[in-house]
Amino acid sequence: MSQSRQSDYPIDPLFTRRWSPRAFTGEHIQESTLLSLLEAARWAPSAFNAQPWRFIYGRSDTPSWQPIFDNLVEFNRGWAHRAAALIVVLSKKRYLAPGATESQENSSHSFDAGAAWASLAFQVTLSGWHAHGLGGFNPDGLRHALGIPEDYAIEAVIAIGKLGDKATLPEALQAREFPNARRPLSELVADGRFVFDE
Ligand SMILES: Cc1cc2nc3c(=O)[nH]c(=O)nc-3n(C[C@H](O)[C@H](O)[C@H](O)COP(=O)(O)O)c2cc1C
């Protein structure tokens, strides 16, 4: 573990152990294992308990993989081809309250899907796998290929895999293959009033 992953205050080591490698082994993942990772995401908190998150997965040894993989940007295709699964994270933009006849906008659909992704990522770490979030994908291509309706936002794609040897990566990526650092907590939190520089 890199020295850059020292917490400023005591926390469970799980939080600094989770990181996003690009070198994966190419090992496949069982569907039941993947569903167990996604089960953790299911229990995330959400406004109104609306649970706006949805997940579409493709495992690398199944036909569901290719349409997701093909819609990653070239940079991400360059390393994600050795992942075991790709998961598309969606969020439902509207919410039908219990007893209501008309749906309303859910202003926290993305926030809540973020909580679900974090839960997934920590369960992935606990289960001995690694997860890497991807914003570099073609949203229109993915929407069309997977039949995703317009009232669902495409939030991210998550690559899941077993940690591999960084020598399998292109040289430029090998140099970046380590757990990175964070801003000090003092730049991120304030007591009672906005004081942040940027
Ligand atoms: C929503 C989101 C989008 C990201 N997009 C990409 C991406 O397209 N390609 C990539 O290599 N890494 C991507 N990352 C990984 C981030 O760079 C990484 O999470 C960040 O540097 C923090 O490092 P850590 O996850 O190892 O702690 C993304 C992460 C998130 C959460």
Side-chain angles (χ1 to χ4, degrees):
M1 181 60 64
S2 156
Q3 278 304 307
S4 62
R5 290 242 155 160
Q6 291 287 342
S7 65
D8 291 350
Y9 291 84
I11 51 171
D12 191 286
L14 173 65
F15 296 99
T16 44
R17 262 175 57 214
R18 185 216 56 80
W19 72 289
S20 306
R22 295 188 177 87
F24 291 120
T25 58
E27 180 177 327
H28 300 316
I29 190 167
Q30 295 275 332
E31 189 166 44
S32 57
T33 305
L34 184 60
L35 291 174
S36 176
L37 303 176
L38 288 163
E39 175 73 30
R42 177 182 169 216
W43 291 99
S46 61
F48 320 111
N49 198 21
Q51 306 159 64
W53 44 76
R54 301 289 184 272
F55 304 97
I56 301 177
Y57 61 83
R59 293 183 296 131
S60 57
D61 53 345
T62 74
S64 303
W65 164 273
Q66 204 63 40
I68 305 176
F69 182 79
D70 287 348
N71 281 292
L72 301 182
V73 298
E74 190 180 354
F75 171 78
N76 287 330
R77 287 200 307 272
W79 57 266
H81 62 96
R82 293 173 71 85
L86 295 170
I87 304 174
V88 183
V89 182
L90 310 177
S91 68
K92 193 172 193 297
K93 297 189 223 172
R94 298 188 70 81
Y95 160 67
L96 186 65
T101 49
E102 273 186 37
S103 66
Q104 63 192 72
E105 200 175 309
N106 182 354
S107 60
S108 68
H109 64 94
S110 289
F111 184 81
D112 295 344
W117 136 244
S119 298
L120 168 70
F122 290 121
Q123 183 61 52
V124 166
T125 303
L126 287 167
S127 301
W129 294 78
H130 281 76
H132 195 134
L134 303 176
F137 57 84
N138 172 356
D140 294 338
L142 210 47
R143 191 176 288 284
H144 183 255
L146 275 54
I148 300 166
E150 284 296 334
D151 50 339
Y152 288 77
I154 305 178
E155 303 286 357
V157 177
I158 313 298
I160 307 275
K162 275 278 159 82
L163 184 62
D165 183 348
K166 71 176 179 183
T168 59
L169 291 172
E171 228 165 80
L173 289 183
Q174 290 183 27
R176 293 163 59 183
E177 190 69 352
F178 56 85
N180 56 18
R182 289 297 184 271
R183 293 173 173 216
L185 190 65
S186 56
E187 282 183 13
L188 306 173
V189 304
D191 183 355
R193 192 171 170 78
F194 188 96
V195 292
F196 307 110
D197 288 336
E198 51 176 290

